[in-house]
């Protein structure tokens, strides 16, 4: 008997025209490292008395479908997740194309995601997926991945794939070695690590339905936060924190073949950190920053992806 193995797992996604309605086709095969996406339905213990000491059967509660997907930050497939986080991009160029994803959209697209374990076989369709959070970390070495948190309407499980033959992706992956950080257009030195987290702060529409599913997931006030850990060498960042002035931070990656990804946070505010001397080693400081809407641009951040894909 065949047993499920993660090495053979598959994932495909497509954007929905109508929330919660899986499209007929148009699926794209997605690279991913792991996923916790799934549905669960807890049982409620019976509270009734008068039937001796043994309990009555439990009652089913509402269905919750959500989870995380850990994925590589690459030059092409990552654009699908950026579209899920920010909405349709502004695309320019004639090849390579520049896709500019901007924060602040009032409506977000929904996706249908299928995960498959063909050796069982088991294919799970998650419809009405909306991206709640996107986060990743920059460091000197290791594998570069991002984590997306999704809220789905529900799960449908079958023994055959509904995604057909999904379109494959030409994977061109960025690495930590390709990363750079700038502050107000100038290279920011002495950075040990950085963490970026964008959240749509989805509001689940939990109406009364016969199937126990939600009616939707609406974005509320977005949040963009993170941290920068630096070797303490000057007072530039500390002075900015004390003065309460914003700066622009740009987190970017570029490949020798020309593909690039940059995430520009237009108005970053820094807290005043505690500078500790914990021993004879170098002194490090951590700034847990917060972003806000830039009044001149009218948005909080811009994600720019340059690749050979014409549209998303």
């Amino acid at each position: 008997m065949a047993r499920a193995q993660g090495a053979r797992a598959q994932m495909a996604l497509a954007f929905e025209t109508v929330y919660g309605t899986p499209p007929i086709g148009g699926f794209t095969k997605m690279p991913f490292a792991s996923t916790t996406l799934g549905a669960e339905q807890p049982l409620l213990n019976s509270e009734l008395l008068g039937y001796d000491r043994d309990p009555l059967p439990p009652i089913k509660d509402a269905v919750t479908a959500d989870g995380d997907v850990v994925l590589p930050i690459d030059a092409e497939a990552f654009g699908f997740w950026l579209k899920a986080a920010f909405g349709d991009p502004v695309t320019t160029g004639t090849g390579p194309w520049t896709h500019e994803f901007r924060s602040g959209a009032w409506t977000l697209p929904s996706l249908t995601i299928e995960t498959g374990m063909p050796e069982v076989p088991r294919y799970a369709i998650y419809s009405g997926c909306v991206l709640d959070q996107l986060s990743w970390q920059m460091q000197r070495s290791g594998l570069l991945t991002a984590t997306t948190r999704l809220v789905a309407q529900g799960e449908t499980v079958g023994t055959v794939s509904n995604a057909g033959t999904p379109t494959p992706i030409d994977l061109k992956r960025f690495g930590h070695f390709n990363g750079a950080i700038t502050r107000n257009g100038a290279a920011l030195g002495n950075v040990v690590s950085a963490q970026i987290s964008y959240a749509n702060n989805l509001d689940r529409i939990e109406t009364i339905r016969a199937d126990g599913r939600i009616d939707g997931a609406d974005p509320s006030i977005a949040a963009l936060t993170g941290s920068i850990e630096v070797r303490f060498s000057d007072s530039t960042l500390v002075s900015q924190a004390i003065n309460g002035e914003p700066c622009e931070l740009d987190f970017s990656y570029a490949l020798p073949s020309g593909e690039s990804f940059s995430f520009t946070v237009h108005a970053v505010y820094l807290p005043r950190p505690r500078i500790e001397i914990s021993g004879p080693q170098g002194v490090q400081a951590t700034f847990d920053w917060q972003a806000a809407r830039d009044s001149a641009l009218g948005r909080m951040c811009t994600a720019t992806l340059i690749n050979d894909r014409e549209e998303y």
Side-chain angles (χ1 to χ4, degrees):
M1 182 179 68
R3 294 175 174 84
Q5 294 188 3
R8 295 192 62 189
Q10 304 170 358
M11 177 179 289
L13 65 74
F15 288 97
E16 299 172 348
T17 303
V18 178
Y19 174 80
T21 303
I24 302 299
F27 283 83
T28 304
K29 187 176 182 180
M30 286 289 112
F32 73 105
S34 63
T35 180
T36 62
L37 189 60
E40 59 183 359
Q41 188 174 23
L43 298 175
L44 301 176
N45 294 329
S46 175
E47 83 285 17
L48 300 180
L49 306 176
Y51 293 89
D52 300 325
R53 291 184 59 240
D54 293 333
L56 294 175
I59 304 299
K60 290 183 178 181
D61 203 1
V63 177
T64 301
D66 54 20
D68 297 343
V69 179
V70 179
L71 49 103
I73 297 181
D74 74 309
E76 187 173 345
F78 195 54
F80 289 91
W81 302 105
L82 292 174
K83 178 178 177 179
F86 301 106
D88 290 322
V90 176
T91 300
T92 57
T94 56
W97 286 270
T98 299
H99 309 280
E100 191 175 276
F101 302 85
R102 301 173 179 178
S103 64
W106 283 104
T107 58
L108 297 175
S110 62
L111 309 93
T112 291
I113 298 177
E114 181 185 82
T115 59
M117 292 178 281
E119 67 276 12
V120 175
R122 182 184 189 273
Y123 293 90
I125 282 280
Y126 301 97
S127 57
C129 293
V130 184
L131 192 145
D132 188 25
Q133 182 173 318
L134 174 65
S135 61
W136 73 94
Q137 185 173 5
M138 297 185 73
Q139 56 193 28
R140 185 174 183 272
S141 62
L143 295 173
L144 176 59
T145 59
T147 300
T148 62
R149 181 178 301 164
L150 301 164
V151 173
Q153 186 184 45
E155 175 190 64
T156 303
V157 178
T159 57
V160 296
S161 173
N162 290 297
T165 304
T167 304
I169 286 290
D170 184 15
L171 184 63
K172 293 183 179 180
R173 188 173 183 178
F174 297 110
H176 287 294
F177 178 75
N178 309 117
I181 303 175
T182 62
R183 175 183 177 274
N184 291 335
L188 183 61
N190 298 298
V191 179
V192 177
S193 65
Q195 194 270 335
I196 304 98
S197 179
Y198 178 83
N200 281 311
N201 290 320
L202 297 179
D203 179 23
R204 299 174 189 245
I205 311 302
E206 297 179 332
T207 57
I208 299 174
R209 294 172 51 124
D211 57 8
R213 298 184 174 188
I214 62 174
D215 258 351
D218 294 341
S220 58
I221 299 297
L224 179 52
T225 58
S227 64
I228 304 175
E229 186 176 359
V230 299
R231 282 275 187 164
F232 192 66
S233 61
D234 58 55
S235 299
T236 302
L237 296 179
V238 175
S239 298
Q240 177 190 330
I242 294 174
N243 296 331
E245 299 172 350
C247 71
E248 182 180 86
L249 291 181
D250 182 78
F251 308 91
S252 62
Y253 304 90
L255 295 177
S257 53
E259 294 83 2
S260 66
F261 166 62
S262 66
F263 189 79
T264 306
V265 189
H266 301 294
V268 174
Y269 293 84
L270 303 176
R272 182 171 179 172
R274 182 191 301 270
I275 307 298
E276 297 181 353
I277 303 174
S278 57
Q281 296 82 11
V283 177
Q284 295 185 177
T286 300
F287 295 85
D288 295 319
W289 54 266
Q290 298 180 25
R293 179 181 181 271
D294 181 82
S295 58
L297 293 175
R299 59 182 180 274
M300 183 165 56
C301 64
T302 304
T304 304
L305 190 62
I306 300 177
N307 57 25
D308 292 329
R309 189 179 187 92
E310 185 173 0
E311 61 181 5
Y312 282 97

